[in-house]
Amino acid sequence: FPPFDTTDDEGNIVGFDMDLIKAIAETQGFEVEFRNQEFDGLIPALTTGTIDIIAAGMDASPERAEQVDFSDPYYEASLIVAVAADNDTITGVDSLTPDMKVAAQTGTTGARLVQDLKDQGKIGEAVILNGLDTAMLQLINGDVQAVINDTPVTETYIKKQPDKIKIVGDKIEAEAPYAFAVQKGNTELLEKINAGLKEVQNN
């Protein structure tokens, strides 16, 4: 999910979220150890105590806020439609039609929007996949006609595949900003994260 989180050539978990939570931890005197997990397994891992913090480009949606406690927001998110570079039919979300397959990454805001479009009959099939790489590969191969995903993540991906994928239409405002998540009731850790985030933002 670059630029927020990804793995480098050595398999280390890196990205904006890693840099930010490390900077927060430094101001508050705690250390972080990163674990790579499937996105839709993060909240269960948090609620069972397997992990302490979710730092994964997660939007603080009302549904998620029922299960976890969110920090103050650190990024205002938006969604965008991506299509194959040679596709001149789709010009944005409003030009999607009931005969089209549209993909998104599981557990994301994009996946919720794609499912809503399917439920409203505006697209033919919602293809929800584990990773963005898989979704983009299906787009390049012509298995799906569009991918809906977070704007900066899609922009980062296109830099790697400039001749194969393009963005169309206007940004779609996401329902919630990105925030860090902790277990319900873990006010001590949440207060540290918020205090550290404020300090980092002020610096």
Side-chain angles (χ1 to χ4, degrees):
F1 204 65
F4 295 97
D5 59 78
T6 188
T7 50
D8 64 15
D9 294 337
E10 282 80 47
N12 300 310
I13 304 166
V14 296
F16 176 80
D17 281 3
M18 282 69 254
D19 293 343
L20 180 55
I21 198 68
K22 277 194 288 190
I24 289 168
E26 198 173 316
T27 72
Q28 298 301 302
F30 66 89
E31 292 183 6
V32 289
E33 173 194 327
F34 298 113
R35 292 189 185 173
N36 190 4
Q37 296 189 224
E38 294 287 350
F39 190 79
D40 57 352
L42 291 174
I43 288 179
L46 186 67
T47 54
T48 57
T50 308
I51 57 174
D52 302 295
I53 301 169
I54 295 174
M58 179 174 279
D59 68 282
S61 69
E63 295 84 5
R64 289 184 179 134
E66 291 174 7
Q67 300 174 276
V68 302
D69 284 342
F70 280 108
S71 71
D72 294 335
Y74 64 85
Y75 187 83
E76 292 296 332
S78 64
L79 300 171
I80 203 76
V81 178
V83 299
D86 59 357
N87 186 323
D88 297 321
T89 307
I90 300 170
T91 55
V93 72
D94 293 334
S95 61
L96 299 172
T97 57
D99 60 341
M100 292 180 180
K101 293 180 182 179
V102 181
Q105 183 179 355
T106 185
T108 62
T109 312
R112 287 201 296 274
L113 176 56
V114 168
Q115 192 57 55
D116 286 347
L117 291 168
K118 169 69 174 73
D119 294 344
Q120 294 163 20
K122 292 180 179 178
I123 61 170
E125 190 177 334
V127 182
I128 311 302
L129 301 161
N130 258 342
L132 180 64
D133 284 346
T134 310
M136 291 302 190
L137 189 62
Q138 289 212 7
L139 182 62
I140 292 165
N141 291 341
D143 299 322
V144 299
Q145 284 70 56
V147 171
I148 297 180
N149 193 56
D150 293 63
T151 304
V153 181
T154 303
E155 288 170 345
T156 301
Y157 197 93
I158 286 173
K159 284 176 187 173
K160 292 192 278 183
Q161 302 272 4
D163 304 323
K164 297 183 177 179
I165 301 163
K166 66 181 180 181
I167 286 171
V168 292
D170 296 327
K171 291 178 182 177
I172 307 153
E173 194 173 315
E175 63 181 35
Y178 290 173
F180 298 111
V182 300
Q183 255 191 352
K184 275 279 183 194
N186 192 348
T187 52
E188 183 183 353
L189 182 55
L190 193 65
E191 285 170 3
K192 283 183 178 180
I193 292 170
N194 284 337
L197 178 60
K198 191 172 184 180
E199 192 169 329
V200 172
Q201 285 172 328
N202 287 341
N203 185 344

